[in-house]
């Protein structure tokens, strides 16, 4: 998930550098959404792991 977010971020940066504003904006938006989803899933996984009694890695 984080890899996809980074991929869209790179696409957005390249598109912005080449002057493609629409593509850059869309790619940056997708990257933001994927990053937030990644953070939410990460926090849920850490809470679930703590609830099982396993220490964090």
């Amino acid at each position: 998930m984080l890899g996809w977010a980074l991929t869209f971020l790179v696409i957005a940066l390249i598109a912005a550098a080449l002057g493609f504003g629409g593509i850059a904006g869309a790619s940056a938006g997708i990257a933001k959404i994927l990053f937030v989803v990644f953070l939410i899933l990460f926090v849920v996984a850490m809470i679930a792991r703590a609830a099982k009694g396993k220490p964090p890695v």
Side-chain angles (χ1 to χ4, degrees), residues 4-42:
W4 281 104
L6 291 174
T7 301
F8 277 104
L9 177 64
V10 170
I11 290 171
L13 291 174
I14 292 171
L18 295 176
F20 298 109
I23 296 172
S27 295
I30 292 170
K32 287 179 191 177
I33 291 169
L34 288 175
F35 185 70
V36 169
V37 170
F38 166 77
L39 285 179
I40 291 170
L41 291 176
F42 178 74

